[in-house]
Amino acid sequence: FFQLSLTAVVFTFMTAMAKADNLYGNINVLSNGVVKVMISDVPTAHNISVSDENGNSLYELSDMKAGSFKNIDFSMVPDGTYYIKVENNRSIETTKVDKIDGAVTIASESNLFVKPIFRREGDILNVFFSNPSKKDVEINVYTQSGSLINTVKTSAASVSKGFDFSKSMHGNYKVVLSQNNYVFSTDFDF
């Protein structure tokens, strides 16, 4: 119990840190439709991607280092809505970019998604997930053959769920957490 509580406290702290990280440092429009994305001093690698409103990927850049920046040129794309996503090992931050009549604007707020933590402790697999927006979350557990053996649905602000495999057959299991367009999974052998 103490280990589970300590892990939950650490996860809550990590969620707060991800919010405080301000993944971008800042994002702003320069002249001629160029958007500057600055990576904060968080010491993990970041990936930047740009997609259109249909989810089509227009640009990807991996392993951006802390303190670096990237200028993204929107002058050659048609008017429309685009999304800049900055991702590191703890979270994903998405910012909406609109181009109307050639003018590029950035949304005043971005969407922060803190990634779940999967931790095995003996025969227990713990899943921790911060859900401040209280959106629907689904956690599914599958056998090696793909059979669904457990489902949890919740919209709680903080999700802390332990799955007990002590009476399960030995083998490989997959745990999948999904919320909206985000899907995270991990495999475990018990």
Side-chain angles (χ1 to χ4, degrees):
F1 174 77
F2 176 73
Q3 180 68 29
L4 182 62
S5 297
L6 181 60
T7 303
V9 168
V10 169
F11 181 70
T12 302
F13 177 73
M14 285 178 57
T15 300
M17 291 303 292
K19 290 178 181 176
D21 281 349
N22 188 14
L23 291 179
Y24 296 134
N26 70 23
I27 181 171
N28 53 47
V29 179
L30 303 176
S31 62
N32 301 325
V34 174
V35 174
K36 183 175 187 177
V37 179
M38 293 199 57
I39 302 298
S40 69
D41 291 331
V42 177
T44 59
H46 294 73
N47 300 322
I48 297 175
S49 64
V50 178
S51 60
D52 64 17
E53 59 192 333
N54 297 318
N56 298 315
S57 180
L58 305 177
Y59 178 81
E60 292 184 17
L61 180 64
S62 300
D63 298 326
M64 296 274 307
K65 304 298 180 215
S68 62
F69 71 93
K70 180 65 182 171
N71 290 335
I72 302 172
D73 187 355
F74 282 85
S75 67
M76 301 305 285
V77 298
D79 285 357
T81 299
Y82 300 90
Y83 297 92
I84 298 175
K85 183 174 12 176
V86 177
E87 181 174 357
N88 67 17
N89 63 344
R90 294 192 297 219
S91 55
I92 302 168
E93 191 166 7
T94 306
T95 300
K96 182 179 172 185
V97 177
D98 285 315
K99 183 176 180 187
I100 301 170
D101 295 330
V104 177
T105 58
I106 304 295
S108 60
E109 292 186 18
S110 60
N111 178 27
L112 179 67
F113 182 88
V114 180
K115 295 179 181 180
I117 294 174
F118 300 97
R119 174 173 284 159
R120 180 179 174 183
E121 296 173 10
D123 289 335
I124 307 291
L125 176 62
N126 295 302
V127 180
F128 303 98
F129 181 65
S130 178
N131 187 22
S133 60
K134 297 184 179 179
K135 294 180 181 175
D136 292 337
V137 175
E138 184 170 304
I139 304 171
N140 293 311
V141 181
Y142 298 93
T143 64
Q144 182 173 318
S145 64
S147 298
L148 179 65
I149 60 170
N150 200 338
T151 297
V152 173
K153 295 181 181 183
T154 183
S155 58
S158 181
V159 178
S160 176
K161 176 66 180 159
F163 296 97
D164 186 352
F165 286 87
S166 62
K167 296 180 179 153
S168 300
M169 293 181 59
H170 291 283
N172 185 272
Y173 294 86
K174 176 176 259 186
V175 179
V176 179
L177 182 143
S178 57
Q179 181 190 56
N180 293 341
N181 296 328
Y182 297 108
V183 178
F184 294 91
S185 66
T186 190
D187 293 324
F188 282 92
D189 288 318
F190 284 98

